[in-house]
Amino acid sequence: MCSSDLVQRVFSEAEVASACAAIDDLIAGKAPAFRGVQREAGNGSGAERPVRKLMHFVDHDARLTALAHHAGLGALMQRLMGDTPELFQDMALLKGPGGREKPWHQDSAYFDLALGTAVIGIWIALDEAALDNGCMHILPGTHRQGPAEHFKVRDWQICDSAVQTELDVAVPLPPGGCLIWHGMLHHGSPTNRSTKMRRALQFHYRPTCSTRVSTDERMQHFGGDVRGATC
């Protein structure tokens, strides 16, 4: 597959509104078994800190389950992978005003999957994702460069000095648009410097035939410290 693809409109206004309502309901505790709310680090009690992320919600809200298993996306994943896609990670990413960056990284650096697994990420804008509120940025072609060394700095990330900033392409999206990318693509998103919220859904898919490996094996490819590198 290519490094990434942009689709300006995948989901309808009604589907986007439904997804936003589902996120609000999960944060409000309307699904008692859901424990996937992650808040920003900082002072104050947990409930006072802004929500940064929701994890593993597809089994807790039918509205979000429907988007994750959207028939059109499933067919596209199958064509790209040449195999039946399996959803293995689901997240809602909330970046309010002042919300911090997500440094440059490769998604495959997070997953204990055999090197070469065709991981596909789908990032769906629920609000307008613009230059000032933290839209996604990508480095086209970097998926062909193999594993990049990652370090625990501000996050699990590629070292700032190793980022090929000359390749940087911002990807603004309207609500309902999505960006689809290869798991080895270098990407990230900057701080939200606006007064606007930027909410998005992110799903990761792998082929059903994929093979899991140990974390130690993954780190032999992606762990900068393990490989003797410095940042």
Side-chain angles (χ1 to χ4, degrees), residues 203-220:
F203 301 121
H204 281 104
Y205 302 85
R206 63 188 176 197
T208 55
C209 66
S210 58
T211 302
R212 294 190 63 83
V213 298
S214 68
T215 299
D216 285 345
E217 184 173 343
R218 168 170 59 90
M219 294 296 283
Q220 290 297 326

Side-chain angles (χ1 to χ4, degrees), residues 7-24 26-27 54 57 63-64 67-68 91-95 122-130 133-135 172-179 196-203:
V7 186
Q8 288 289 335
R9 183 73 67 179
V10 176
F11 299 102
S12 67
E13 289 184 12
E15 288 172 316
V16 169
S18 178
C20 291
I23 290 171
D24 290 343
L26 290 174
I27 293 173
L54 277 69
F57 50 69
R63 294 164 291 186
L64 297 173
L67 294 186
M91 299 187 288
L93 306 171
L94 283 61
K95 188 174 290 198
I122 298 183
W123 195 92
I124 303 163
L126 299 179
D127 302 297
E128 179 185 12
N133 74 342
C135 72
L173 282 171
C178 74
L179 177 66
K196 302 176 293 184
M197 174 62 76
R198 193 232 64 189
R199 293 169 292 183
L201 298 177
Q202 184 167 303
F203 301 121

Side-chain angles (χ1 to χ4, degrees), residues 72-198:
L73 286 181
L76 175 60
M77 295 300 100
Q78 180 132 11
R79 289 200 301 272
L80 292 174
M81 291 180 176
D83 191 5
T84 302
E86 176 185 337
L87 176 70
F88 72 99
Q89 187 186 67
D90 54 287
M91 299 187 288
L93 306 171
L94 283 61
K95 188 174 290 198
R100 59 189 170 92
E101 65 166 335
K102 176 66 176 179
W104 294 97
H105 65 284
Q106 295 171 302
D107 287 346
S108 291
Y110 284 79
F111 305 136
D112 291 337
L113 295 170
L115 193 64
T117 300
V119 171
I120 297 178
I122 298 183
W123 195 92
I124 303 163
L126 299 179
D127 302 297
E128 179 185 12
L131 293 175
D132 62 349
N133 74 342
C135 72
M136 190 68 73
H137 287 240
I138 63 173
L139 303 181
T142 50
H143 69 299
R144 301 189 186 95
Q145 297 177 4
E149 291 164 342
H150 285 61
F151 302 86
K152 186 64 176 177
V153 186
R154 298 181 305 284
D155 205 318
W156 180 236
Q157 65 179 89
I158 298 169
C159 192
D160 294 328
S161 62
V163 176
Q164 298 169 271
T165 53
E166 70 278 6
L167 301 177
D168 184 6
V169 174
V171 189
L173 282 171
C178 74
L179 177 66
I180 304 165
W181 69 84
H182 192 288
M184 296 292 280
L185 181 71
H186 299 196
H187 63 286
S189 64
T191 299
N192 183 348
R193 303 191 183 281
S194 77
T195 59
K196 302 176 293 184
M197 174 62 76
R198 193 232 64 189

